[in-house]
Amino acid sequence: LLPISAAHQISRLCPVAAPGTMDSESFGFVVEWYDQQADLMREYQLTIFKPQRGPLEAAMYDPKSHRSFLKRMAIPDLKMEDLIVGSTVTIYARHLKVKAYADSHTRDGLESKRKAMCVLIQPSAFPQLGQFISCVENGGLKMNRFRLVNDGGPVVAIEMIGDDADLKFHSAVANIPQQAYKEVTSEEGEAYFSDKERFPCTAAFDHCTLCIIRPHALKAGHAGEVITAIQQAGLEISAAQMMHLQRAHAVELLDVYKGVVPYHKEMVDGMSIAPLLAMEIRGSDSVVERLRQLCGPYDVDMARHLRPDSLRARFGVDNANNGVHATDLEDDAELEVRYVFEMLAATL
């Protein structure tokens, strides 16, 4: 892929930009992007500008070639809380992994109040999982990782990051019994996310269908409401994991819609722009159709008119970003679940 733009030159003497300008504050990051065509990991300096009003803006500089890679421009969906070392952000369809802070101003400015904490939602509270998640989301916390494991029953590990995360969390769950969750250190919590031998995938791959809370809905804080609707409908959440799809993965997952809907490209972009929450949904009978009915018509306007209580009517933005993905055909259900939880979950 060619550089997005080479027209605008960032100062070679100060490629990460000064800590402040007249109209905005700036923050510098070292990011890397995997160039599939060249089979190379490329490193860039990313500067994020935080204007007094309006969305964040971004510029990128290639230190190897000593030239601009992206001129300064607005990135409407990007938030400061997305920029965490180790996380992945998407800028113009490129997945950029944040490797490090580029300067002490950025490190000190972001880490002084930003905290990370990990909680384990206990099996006794699993039937109220959606309500717990809604408390977290309404408390202004960002879920950075989310995974369902079997640890003496269904346990959901959640890593949350935000300014004063510990204070916000305790305020958000003040009315929830303490036995419903367990706070653990980052080191203790890491095993629940990455030790696949100790905590293997819980997907059953039978009597199942795939549900995905699309990135836009997850980012908007609707995960708890979607999960509550699924649980109240009598459906079982048997596997769940947050993941950030590469664009190629989204293309393969949504290949069935290519040539069928005119907004296929927008669907792919929307599914890969930020993390999503994938779930295996199980039921004793007709689980594919039951989930489809819960989600409502694919067309958001139609859903709002015909099924105003459906998930797509409530959380859809447009047809490409309609809140949730659900498997359409019975024959595809297990295939989609296996693709996400056997192939992707093991690597993402």
Side-chain angles (χ1 to χ4, degrees), residues 203-244:
F205 305 120
D206 64 357
H207 304 292
C208 62
T209 188
L210 178 68
C211 180
I212 291 176
I213 301 177
R214 295 183 186 274
H216 76 90
L218 183 61
K219 198 167 188 176
H222 297 312
E225 294 171 281
V226 173
I227 291 171
T228 294
I230 291 171
Q231 292 183 310
Q232 290 181 345
L235 295 169
E236 175 193 356
I237 301 173
S238 47
Q241 183 173 329
M242 274 181 63
M243 55 187 75
H244 193 156

Side-chain angles (χ1 to χ4, degrees), residues 125-167:
F126 189 73
Q128 291 79 43
L129 173 63
Q131 297 171 43
F132 191 102
I133 299 303
S134 289
C135 288
V136 169
E137 293 174 320
N138 294 336
L141 288 165
K142 170 186 169 62
M143 293 192 298
N144 191 48
R145 291 192 287 181
F146 182 115
R147 187 168 183 251
L148 171 61
V149 302
N150 182 3
D151 188 18
V155 169
V156 176
I158 304 175
E159 181 186 66
M160 296 163 288
I161 294 181
D163 290 349
D164 298 320
D166 50 349
L167 298 177

